[in-house]
């Protein structure tokens, strides 16, 4: 089959699954059959994606196919289609791979859900996979935006999957609004771009840029607007606030959407439109700095979290900052590489955390501890993920992180580079902290531990998870190692930039220092965590309070936006409508006053007639 | 006698009638006033008829007298009905049209 | 002349109304069945019309001609072009859904259905009439039954008069259905007066020989005349389209009206206003339209943002939906004010999109009210558990409302935005986009408040049933169409574009 057909097939299978599950209520309510349908669809998509990648990497030119979507007098205004090149097909594999594994994993993870909710879950998942693939394969920015919004909705629906929990409903709303705020920017950027370039087609735009036919005046505003969209979706400071809250969703959802795929869409957008950003260095500089700030701040916040998912969430924000910094430095390739490896190992970490949470029935790390003995498999894969994230050689994150750091330095972003380096230390530190606290250290609060040993008999599955959950974990772990080993030892791509020789040792040293620091603090307790906390007290307070950003947004929402809305509502009722009602009331009152004239007495009427007649006669006399 | 004398008489009669209609409270009194006004008009008709030398005014007066009779009959009937319903023949008490 | 398809579409509701009044007395099932058959006939024929319409050719098709008063140039002349075609289809869809949504009208169901159908005849007639005189007649037929429908079958809201104008509110009876009906009727009749003056001015200026749109269109009117006549059309039809500051009849009217009437009114009748401005204002007085476009657009921007913010501050569910209509009608007016191909296409598409989604909203609000007997948003909570179907449909409607891709709302808003940025006043884009963002806030807030979260502990809100039986018809039809037009906008945009482009060429703003 030709790659276009394959890509369309990959795209449409989950869409079909979604429609079937969504429309056929009995199928949805039956639960597991719906799940199997969804998994079959996405697994086939995975196969199609791999084949597409094989074909695409063989072809020099990107393969593009498009069909009319919106008509216009001078040719179609907008098209839909697919654009297949190595980038998109690699991303396609990542999306379908993680999605397949997550869906399989969810079969076990959401075992206790009622069948109807189960079906609903898989319907959302299918829609998500379809939309995400739409983003990835999109040949133009409009289609990208369309699918971009759809993944946003899937994220909203899946964060709010347990909608009965008020926190989940609130988190879903927060996620939607925050990303929507960014999307407003993206939409404006797309609209502006149409007037400037007359097209949204990525290849055509690239062609125009290369040929120098694209006006650069006003392009800065457009790229900035596009970046705003990426900022919301990829949780860049200061729009990152939604991602930690999004952890209210089921853990597999966090793994798929809020770690591996959807949140990287922003980075992907920038990677796709890299050539536009290169025309506007100021915006690129902004991207780099914001990326650096995001990476550092999120890493700091990750250090003070006690909820295992929150640690991972902030870690995701931080890593997205890394990717963005690389893009901002002008080397989108490095950012994209980190995107791919991060997708694998972060999904692994989330699914691992999910397995732990599934067993312990708590997100809090206090409630865990010493789990290595009870669930060695989960512990092993989680450690593999941690080592990848920490950037230890021979693991997936190593080379990509090196690339990001090198790119940042080569791009001349010294400030962000320092932030990233600090971030690398902190990353290793907080991830190791999680590993030590959860798997090795004795449970911090004995009372809790006792409570859970009591639970042991109650919940039968307090060991390693069953095959349906362990399988995906191992596949991702092996993938992380294979990618790591291959890229560390065998594959030496010609780098786009020259990195200084000291970079690798320093970066690795930072990672190892973080691990050792965490070991000393949380395993051997040589360094007291309390001492650390008091030394870094100001930063700690700020980090615990999330740098007061959430409070700021809440204030804006409650006391500025809603207050203003109330003012407008009041104005409408009491001024705009009020004036009208006052006029009507006056009319009625005037009628009331005039009514008195109507005495109902015959005499009065006749008197009025006579008087009128008299006046008329006098008037006529005057005129005659 | 000049025409103005007849017309003056008619005007005076009309005014008296109008005065009666406006000021009388008794419905029968009002009807009497109406009768006076109608007859003032009749005088005008007859006077003009006499001075123009045509019979048209006379004929019209006859018509008017006939109709007046009918009107009075109807008016009195109404008064009686009103009296039956409201136990009053005072016009001021009959203010159903009051707004 | 073959089968008079437009006449059949237009008059079949009227005939059903007659049948209902004559033969279905005190037989509620027969009343409903007749109503559904009448509206289905219109729907089926409208779909047939859509397929038989020549999508390539522009201009009016399916002409029907019958002289009425030849000496004054008044003729019964029906025909549709692209806009008329899609709006006829919209009306048929909403009427069909509405006749199912009125299934539970208990008191005087017979008169209710008859008036509803009579009103639809008026709406169909307006969209298909080429003769201004007949157009106006149909327009009045569409507007007047509303008074009775709201004043008799409406509901009295929970507005408490307070504040500095409290006395005036108490005096005029704000919140009662009679007040709402009277306000709506007076406003719309005021608008009609402006329209009538405008029409007669054009008629006499053209030599008092013909009321035909086609004849008048050929006349090049004096720019001075065009200028004020356009303003008259704008104000006259604009009142019905809910332009600021003449929009306040809409929240009260829609909140008080029974479900099907709200559906038809917000879904179709408000479009009548926008259609009037576009058809008569832009079609007959193009110079005036170009001259006043800045005003139309500026007021539309106010509508969008102001309506959205007002909706955000409401506590009554129906008021939220009604104010969202005010906001969305702003998008319609903004689109046409841009004087660009995309803008006007977006405007007409928004008429369809908004018609369907607001119809859906009012149907759902009606269902929620029927089951929970409350419209107070902040008293309800956690309904999704009890009514998953209604909550899903509400969410889809909400997504369309905030312009989510793959629903009709997105295409309309997006085209409008493109048009706005290409127009002479590119800043219009900003209020437009801002309005969409505010919509996402108020709509999803309402969804969350009513359907998500912990179940309300209020004893009235326990064990509420989901929609069932015929109640599903309206919801399913509207949801499907909303998504269908969002995914395949070409279905509608094709015919719309064939009408938009010649208009813009004629107006001289497009080659």
């Amino acid at each position: 089959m030709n790659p276009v057909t394959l890509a369309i097939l990959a795209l449409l299978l989950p869409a079909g699954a979604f429609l079937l599950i969504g429309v056929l209520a009995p199928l949805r309510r039956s639960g597991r059959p719906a799940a199997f349908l969804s998994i079959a669809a996405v697994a086939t998509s995975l196969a199609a994606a791999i084949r597409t990648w094989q074909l695409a990497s063989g072809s020099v030119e990107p393969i593009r196919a498009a069909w009319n979507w919106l008509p216009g007098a001078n040719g179609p205004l907008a098209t839909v289609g697919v654009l297949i090149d190595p980038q998109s097909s690699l991303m396609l594999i990542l999306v379908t791979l993680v999605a397949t594994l997550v869906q399989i994993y969810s079969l076990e993870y959401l075992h206790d859900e009622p069948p109807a909710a189960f079906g609903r879950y898989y319907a959302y998942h299918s829609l998500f996979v379809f939309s995400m693939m739409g983003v990835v394969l999109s040949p133009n920015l409009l289609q990208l935006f369309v699918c971009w919004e759809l993944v946003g909705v899937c994220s909203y629906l899946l964060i709010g999957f347990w909608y009965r929990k008020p926190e989940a409903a609130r988190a879903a709303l927060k996620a939607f609004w925050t990303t929507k705020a960014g999307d407003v920017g993206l939409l404006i950027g797309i609209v502006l771009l149409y007037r400037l370039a007359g097209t949204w087609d990525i290849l055509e735009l690239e062609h125009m840029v290369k040929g120098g036919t694209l006006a650069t005046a006003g392009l800065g505003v457009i790229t900035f607007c596009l970046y705003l969209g990426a900022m919301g979706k990829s949780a860049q400071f200061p729009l990152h606030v939604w991602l930690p809250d999004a952890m209210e969703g089921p853990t597999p959802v966090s793994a798929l959407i809020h770690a591996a795929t959807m949140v990287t869409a922003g980075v992907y957008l920038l990677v796709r439109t890299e050539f536009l950003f290169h025309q506007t260095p100021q915006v690129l500089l902004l991207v780099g700095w914001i990326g650096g700030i995001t990476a550092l701040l999120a890493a700091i916040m990750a250090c003070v979290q006690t909820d295992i998912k929150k640690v991972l969430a902030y870690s995701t924000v931080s890593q997205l900052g890394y990717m963005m910094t690389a893009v901002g430095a002008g080397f989108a390739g490095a950012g994209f590489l980190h995107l791919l490896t991060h997708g694998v190992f972060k999904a692994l970490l989330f699914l691992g955390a999910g397995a732990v949470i599934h067993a312990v029935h708590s997100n809090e790390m206090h409630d865990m501890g010493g789990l290595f003995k009870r669930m060695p498999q989960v512990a092993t894969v989680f450690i593999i993920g941690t080592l990848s994230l920490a950037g230890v050689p021979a693991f997936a994150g190593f080379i990509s992180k090196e690339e990001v750091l090198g790119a940042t330095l080569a791009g001349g972003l010294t400030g962000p580079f320092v932030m990233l380096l600090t971030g690398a230390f902190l990353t290793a530190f907080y991830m190791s902290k999680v590993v030590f606290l959860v798997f090795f250290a004795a449970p911090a609060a004995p009372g809790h531990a006792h409570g859970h040993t009591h639970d042991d008999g109650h919940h039968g599955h307090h060991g390693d998870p069953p095959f349906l959950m362990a399988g995906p974990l191992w596949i991702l772990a092996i993938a992380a190692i294979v990618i790591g080993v291959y890229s560390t030892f065998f594959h030496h791509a010609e780098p786009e930039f020259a990195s200084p020789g000291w970079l690798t040792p320093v970066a690795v040293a930072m990672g190892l220092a973080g691990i050792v620091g965490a070991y000393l603090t949380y395993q051997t307790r040589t360094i007291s965590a309390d001492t650390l906390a008091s030394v870094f007290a100001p930063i700690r307070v700020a980090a615990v309070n999330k740098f007061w950003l959430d409070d700021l947004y809440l204030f804006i929402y409650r006391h500025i936006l809603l207050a203003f809305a109330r003012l407008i509502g009041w104005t409408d009722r009491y001024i705009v409508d009020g004036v009208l009602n006052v006029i009507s009331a006056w009319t009625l009152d005037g009628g009331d006053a005039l009514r008195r004239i109507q005495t109902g007495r015959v005499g009065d009427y006749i008197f009025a007639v006579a008087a009128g007649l008299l006046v008329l006669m006098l008037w006529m006399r005057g005129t005659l | 006698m000049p025409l103005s004398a007849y017309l003056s008489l008619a005007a005076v009669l009309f005014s008296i009638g109008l005065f009666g209609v406006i000021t009388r409270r008794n419905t029968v009194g009002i009807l009497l006033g109406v009768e006076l006004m109608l007859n003032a008009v009749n005088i005008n008709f007859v006077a003009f008829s006499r001075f123009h030398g045509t019979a048209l005014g006379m004929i019209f007066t006859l018509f008017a007298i006939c109709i007046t009779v009918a009107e009075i009959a109807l008016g009195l009937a109404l008064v009686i009905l009103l009296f039956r319903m409201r136990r009053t023949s005072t016009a001021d008490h009959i203010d159903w049209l009051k707004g | 002349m073959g089968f008079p398809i437009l006449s059949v579409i237009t008059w079949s509701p009227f005939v059903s109304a007659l049948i209902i009044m004559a033969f279905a007395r005190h037989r509620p099932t027969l009343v409903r069945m007749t109503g559904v058959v009448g509206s289905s006939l219109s729907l089926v024929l409208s779909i047939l019309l859509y397929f038989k319409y020549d999508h390539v050719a522009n201009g009016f098709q399916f002409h029907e001609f019958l002289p009425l008063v030849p000496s004054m140039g008044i003729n019964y002349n029906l025909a549709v072009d692209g806009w008329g075609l899609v709006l006829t289809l919209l009306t048929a869809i909403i009427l069909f859904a509405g006749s199912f949504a009125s299934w539970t009208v208990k008191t005087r169901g017979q008169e209710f259905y008859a008036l509803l159908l009579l009103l639809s005849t008026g709406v169909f007639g307006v969209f298909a009439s080429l003769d201004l005189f007949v157009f106006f007649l149909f327009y009045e037929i569409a507007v007047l039954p509303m008074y009775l429908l709201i004043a008799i079958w409406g509901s009295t809201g929970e507005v408490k008069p307070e504040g500095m104008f409290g006395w005036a509110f108490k005096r005029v009876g704000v919140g009662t259905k009679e007040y709402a009906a009277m306000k709506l009727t007076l406003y719309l009749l005021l608008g009609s007066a402006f329209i009538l003056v405008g029409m007669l001015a054009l008629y006499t200026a053209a030599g008092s020989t013909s009321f035909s749109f086609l004849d008048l269109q050929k006349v090049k009117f004096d720019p001075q005349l065009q200028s004020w006549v356009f303003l008259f059309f704008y104000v006259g039809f604009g009142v019905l389209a809910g332009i600021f500051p003449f929009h306040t009849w809409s929240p009260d009217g829609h909140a008080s009206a029974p479900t099907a009437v709200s559906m038809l009114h917000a879904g179709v009748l408000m479009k009548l206003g926008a259609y009037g401005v576009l058809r008569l204002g832009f079609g007959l007085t193009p110079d005036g339209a170009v001259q006043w476009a800045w005003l139309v657009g500026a007021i539309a921007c106010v509508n969008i943002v102001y309506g959205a913010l007002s909706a955000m501050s409401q506590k009554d569910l129906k008021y939220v939906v009604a104010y969202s209509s005010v906001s969305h009608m702003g998008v319609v007016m903004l689109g046409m004010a841009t004087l660009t191909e995309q803008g006007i296409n977006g405007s007409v598409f928004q008429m369809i999109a908004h018609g369907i989604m607001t119809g859906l909203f009012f149907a759902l609000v009606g269902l929620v009210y029927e089951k929970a007997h409350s419209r107070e948003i902040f008293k309800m909570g956690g309904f999704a558990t009890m009514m998953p179907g209604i909550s899903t449909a509400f969410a889809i409607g909400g997504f369309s409302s905030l312009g989510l891709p793959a629903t009709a709302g997105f295409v309309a808003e997006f085209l409008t935005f493109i048009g706005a940025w290409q127009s002479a006043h590119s800043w219009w884009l900003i209020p437009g986009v801002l309005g969409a963002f505010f919509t996402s806030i108020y709509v999803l807030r309402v969804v969350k408040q009513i359907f998500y979260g912990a179940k309300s502990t209020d004893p009235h809100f326990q064990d509420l049933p989901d929609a069932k039986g015929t109640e599903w018809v309206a919801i399913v039809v509207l949801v499907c169409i909303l998504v269908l037009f969002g995914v395949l906008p070409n279905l509608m945009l094709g015919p719309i574009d064939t009408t938009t482009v010649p208009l813009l060429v004629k107006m001289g703003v497009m080659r």
Side-chain angles (χ1 to χ4, degrees), chain C residues 462-507:
Chain C
Q462 307 300 321
D463 303 321
L464 304 174
D466 203 358
K468 56 182 182 297
T470 47
E471 293 170 346
W472 281 118
V473 176
I475 299 176
V476 169
V477 166
L478 293 175
V479 165
C480 288
I481 290 170
L482 208 54
V483 175
L484 177 72
F485 288 169
V487 176
L488 300 172
N490 253 342
L491 291 179
M492 290 290 115
L493 277 176
I496 293 172
D497 198 52
T498 58
T499 309
T500 306
V501 173
L503 175 80
L504 287 173
V505 171
K506 179 171 175 287
M507 292 177 79

Side-chain angles (χ1 to χ4, degrees), chain A residues 595-596 598-608 610-611 613, chain B residues 14 18 21-23 30 37 91-99:
Chain A
R595 207 171 64 180
R596 307 260 159 73
Q598 309 284 331
T599 57
R601 286 189 216 128
V602 184
D604 295 351
Y605 292 115
I606 296 172
F607 181 75
L613 199 67
Chain B
F14 185 86
L18 183 62
V21 166
I22 291 173
T23 55
I30 292 174
M37 287 157 77
D92 284 3
H93 294 169
I94 303 163
D95 56 353
W96 295 345
L97 281 177
K98 185 173 161 53

Side-chain angles (χ1 to χ4, degrees), chain A residues 4 7-8 11-12 63-69 78-84 88 130 133-144 147 201-202 272:
Chain A
V4 172
I8 298 282
L11 200 57
L12 290 185
I63 305 157
R64 181 175 163 281
W67 294 269
N68 292 351
W69 191 52
T79 55
V80 287
V82 291
L83 173 61
I84 303 159
S88 65
F130 161 72
M133 284 199 282
V135 170
V136 172
L137 288 171
S138 172
N140 62 58
L141 289 179
L142 181 61
Q143 183 188 337
L144 189 136
C147 296
D201 194 286
I202 292 170
R272 283 309 232 186

Side-chain angles (χ1 to χ4, degrees), chain A residues 571-572 575-580, chain C residues 183 187 190 234-235 238-239 241-251 295 298-300 302-303 306 326:
Chain A
T571 311
D572 194 61
I575 306 290
V576 177
D577 204 23
V579 168
L580 178 85
Chain C
K183 188 180 193 177
Y187 252 132
L190 178 77
Y234 174 56
V235 173
V239 168
I243 59 169
F244 179 87
F246 307 117
H247 64 277
T248 54
W249 59 267
S250 147
L295 180 74
I299 290 185
V302 174
N303 258 47
Y306 182 92
V326 172

Side-chain angles (χ1 to χ4, degrees), chain A residues 325-351:
Chain A
T325 314
V327 177
F331 299 103
F336 186 65
L337 184 65
H338 196 51
L339 189 165
L340 292 176
T341 56
H342 172 260
V344 173
F345 62 71
K346 192 47 79 58
L348 168 63
L349 284 171
F350 262 109
L351 293 183

